[in-house]
Structure formats: C-alpha cells, structure tokens
Amino acid sequence: MIGRLTGILAEKQPPNLLVDVHGVGYEIQAPMTTFYDLPAVGGTVSLHTHLAVREDGQNLYGFASGRERELFRALIKVSGVGPKLGLTLLSGMRVDEFIQCLHDQDVSRLTRTPGVGRKTAERLVIEMQDRVKTLTGGTPTQPGAAAPQAAAGDAASDAVSALVALGYKPAEAGKLVDKVDAPGVASEELIRRALQKSVK
C-alpha cells in the first residue's frame, strides 16, 4: 500500500499529477482542493495517497491532507459513489464545507455535483453523518505558491478539460468557465471559480 509520496511535481493537468520520486514517476489523480495547494511544476510536493486496486487496473489518488484522504475513503464506501465521484465531490467542497453540508442536510447542494442524483445525495447525508464524526485532524501539507499565469485561451481550455474530467458535460463546463473567465487568470483559479459557481 502506498500511503504517502514526497517528490518533485513533474506535471499537473487537473485532475492528473505526475510526481517524480527518485526517478520513478507516479501518476496520481487529485481533487481540485488539493490542486489549489500545489506548488508550481518543479517544486517539492508531499501527498497523502490512496491506492485503489481493481480488475481493470490500479489507480493512485493524492490528497493535501490526511483528513481529506479520510473523507475520500469514507465517501467511496457509500453505495453508488466510486473514486471518480469522490474526487468530484471533494473538488467542489473542502472537508469542512462538506461536513457542514451534511450537518445542514443540504441535499440540493449535493445534487448540483455532476453524477449525484437525489437518491445518492440523500444516501450520502444519511450514511456519512456518523462517518465524518470520526475524521481526525490533519493539516494541508506543502502549501504551494501560486502557479504562473497562463495564456488566457490555454487557461480556459485547461479549465474546461478539467471540469469534463470531473464529470461535467462539455457544454456545461464551457458555460461555467465562460462565466468566470478573466484576462490573466490561471486555469486552477478558473476551475475554483467555476466549481463555486456550480454549487451555489
């Protein structure tokens, strides 16, 4: 089991990362909440990881904090919630926001997440209530500096691609990015704004 990786951030294209650990490149998928804390490419990063082994392959998921990973592990135990949907849920809300959403039994906010219907949202509220109480502390590791500014067209295109990878339909992703696009804004900031827009 790979529980944690520390290395050089070689590539980042939401939701995918490539981390070079002593010459071995690990492909990792991460939620946007983790992307916001990443250093620029070439910087050192330390991630809490979850290895999912399935018949069709192995996937490694990375998180900025142990608490975020615990929530992901709790989410994928809920019927109908797989790793992809778990990443999408964590991309739209930080851990404390998600816990507050459950506390408020805010089913409508959960259903704004791509792939979450009313039944799944209600199941999440019921099944996750007790599970989130057991989440330990955990603080973000290696918060990074802001990424260099990207060209406007590239940033918007990257943002749309990332949203599609998180489960949004291409047309919906395009509309969300168009609403928040601004000159000189990096793709990660566009994704953050778009995700905030989608859950309001």
Side-chain angles (χ1 to χ4, degrees):
M1 176 65 78
I2 302 171
R4 185 171 174 141
L5 287 175
T6 299
I8 303 300
L9 183 59
E11 296 175 15
K12 59 175 180 176
Q13 175 61 53
N16 301 306
L17 302 172
L18 183 65
V19 178
D20 186 324
V21 182
H22 302 297
V24 179
Y26 290 87
E27 292 182 344
I28 301 167
Q29 293 182 52
M32 287 311 304
T33 45
T34 289
F35 263 82
Y36 302 146
D37 293 327
L38 290 175
V41 170
T44 300
V45 65
S46 185
L47 296 170
H48 297 265
T49 57
H50 173 83
L51 179 64
V53 180
R54 300 193 170 203
E55 290 180 6
D56 57 350
Q58 301 179 18
N59 291 302
L60 193 60
Y61 300 92
F63 307 92
S65 72
R67 194 165 181 242
E68 197 171 45
R69 180 180 63 183
E70 283 184 67
L71 178 55
F72 175 79
R73 286 175 170 172
L75 281 168
I76 61 176
K77 289 178 182 174
V78 175
S79 176
V81 179
K84 183 176 180 179
L85 186 52
L87 283 187
T88 303
L89 284 162
L90 285 176
S91 290
M93 289 179 266
R94 290 197 179 268
V95 175
D96 290 336
E97 291 176 307
F98 186 82
I99 292 172
Q100 187 62 49
C101 186
L102 294 178
H103 181 266
D104 296 340
Q105 299 188 8
D106 193 348
V107 171
S108 62
R109 183 174 182 189
L110 290 170
T111 57
R112 290 191 202 94
T113 303
V116 179
R118 186 163 187 85
K119 288 184 178 179
T120 301
E122 290 171 347
R123 192 180 304 122
L124 281 167
V125 167
I126 294 168
E127 294 188 27
M128 291 294 293
Q129 290 280 355
D130 290 331
R131 292 180 188 177
V132 295
K133 292 176 184 175
T134 64
L135 290 180
T136 59
T139 55
T141 55
Q142 299 292 332
Q149 299 293 323
D154 292 341
S157 176
D158 289 348
V160 170
S161 296
L163 291 172
V164 170
L166 289 170
Y168 288 82
K169 293 178 181 175
E172 184 183 12
K175 286 179 183 177
L176 283 170
V177 171
D178 284 344
K179 286 180 183 177
V180 298
D181 197 5
V185 177
S187 60
E188 285 153 21
E189 179 60 24
L190 288 178
I191 297 163
R192 184 205 301 262
R193 293 179 186 181
L195 287 168
Q196 288 173 340
K197 200 92 172 167
S198 74
V199 297
K200 285 180 180 177

